Amino acid sequence: MSADSGDSLLARLDVRLAKIEDGLSFVAALFILALMVLGALNVIGRKLGMPVWGYNDIVVLSMVSFAFLSISAMQRIGGHIRMELLVRRLSGRWLWFAEIIGTLVAIFVIAILIYYSYQAFGRAFLLGDSTMDREIPTWPSKIWVPISFGVLIARLFLQLWGYTRLIIDPNAEPVAVPKMHKVDEMADKEIKDTFGDDAEPTPVKAN
């Protein structure tokens, strides 16, 4: 397989995985919206002496969805929180080598979490685990964790591929890897996210 065909394959896989990640993020958004509506109904119901059945249990179980379903999408765009004090000082092959080390560590950790989260789901499914209050089954909530981590580890492998090709050719166009923005670029993005695209960027000096 030539370098061009390999890059093309990486780009296609990146796009297809991004669709899955966006779909999971949309599901997470639906859970958040449903939970907000349910919370409003619960407040109204309490006033009328008819609170929503199992509200506290439903809230606890729903938290898993929006806590994990968007994790791979955040990894794709580099929206996760990480220490970049050292990485920002690197460039070229040293930068991509440092990213590879971090990605390998992440793959190792996530692989372990996939195993144990699936074990937790299996036990909950086979033993009929449920909440203590309303005895709602917990396995539908727990299955989201290994699914989310499965998509995340696929994203990490694509990024490992992307960083490896950049080590081979540092001048290549980055594919399937998050771009590290400068301080002023991040400030401009936050301004636009808050006030819209018409907001004028504010000069920011990096220390």
Side-chain angles (χ1 to χ4, degrees):
M1 183 172 60
S2 64
D4 291 340
S5 60
D7 294 349
S8 177
L9 176 60
L10 177 60
R12 291 197 303 269
L13 292 175
D14 179 43
V15 171
R16 292 178 182 178
L17 184 59
K19 291 181 179 179
I20 298 175
E21 294 167 337
D22 292 341
L24 291 178
S25 297
F26 181 73
V27 173
L30 290 180
F31 271 106
I32 295 174
L33 177 61
L35 202 58
M36 293 172 61
V37 173
L38 190 65
L41 293 176
N42 187 59
V43 172
I44 296 174
R46 284 184 177 277
K47 295 291 185 180
L48 301 176
M50 296 182 296
V52 175
W53 180 88
Y55 175 73
N56 291 334
D57 291 350
I58 294 174
V59 169
V60 172
L61 295 177
S62 300
M63 285 183 178
V64 177
S65 61
F66 49 80
F68 290 95
L69 289 180
S70 298
I71 190 171
S72 185
M74 290 299 99
Q75 176 69 26
R76 181 185 81 221
I77 64 176
H80 53 293
I81 299 174
R82 66 176 188 171
M83 295 297 294
E84 296 181 343
L85 298 178
L86 175 61
V87 178
R88 284 188 177 276
R89 298 177 181 273
L90 303 177
S91 62
R93 286 189 171 91
W94 284 110
L95 171 61
W96 308 128
F97 179 76
E99 295 284 12
I100 283 179
I101 296 299
T103 304
L104 288 173
V105 173
I107 288 174
F108 175 75
V109 173
I110 295 302
I112 294 175
L113 292 177
I114 289 175
Y115 174 79
Y116 284 106
S117 62
Y118 185 79
Q119 291 292 318
F121 155 73
R123 287 193 298 269
F125 181 78
L126 295 175
L127 300 177
D129 184 35
S130 61
T131 59
M132 296 183 63
D133 187 15
R134 297 297 183 175
E135 297 185 348
I136 301 175
T138 61
W139 67 263
S141 176
K142 292 183 177 181
I143 188 59
W144 288 117
V145 180
I147 290 177
S148 301
F149 283 155
V151 177
L152 175 58
I153 203 169
R155 168 57 57 187
L156 290 172
F157 274 113
L158 283 187
Q159 290 185 350
L160 184 64
W161 182 353
Y163 290 134
T164 301
R165 63 181 286 275
L166 288 172
I167 282 185
I168 297 173
D169 183 8
N171 296 321
E173 180 69 21
V175 177
V177 297
K179 295 182 179 179
M180 187 181 302
H181 298 286
K182 298 179 181 179
V183 176
D184 54 346
E185 292 175 341
M186 291 189 296
D188 291 343
K189 182 179 183 302
E190 291 178 0
I191 292 173
K192 290 181 180 179
D193 290 342
T194 304
F195 300 103
D197 293 334
D198 295 333
E200 295 183 0
T202 303
V204 176
K205 294 183 178 180
N207 294 328

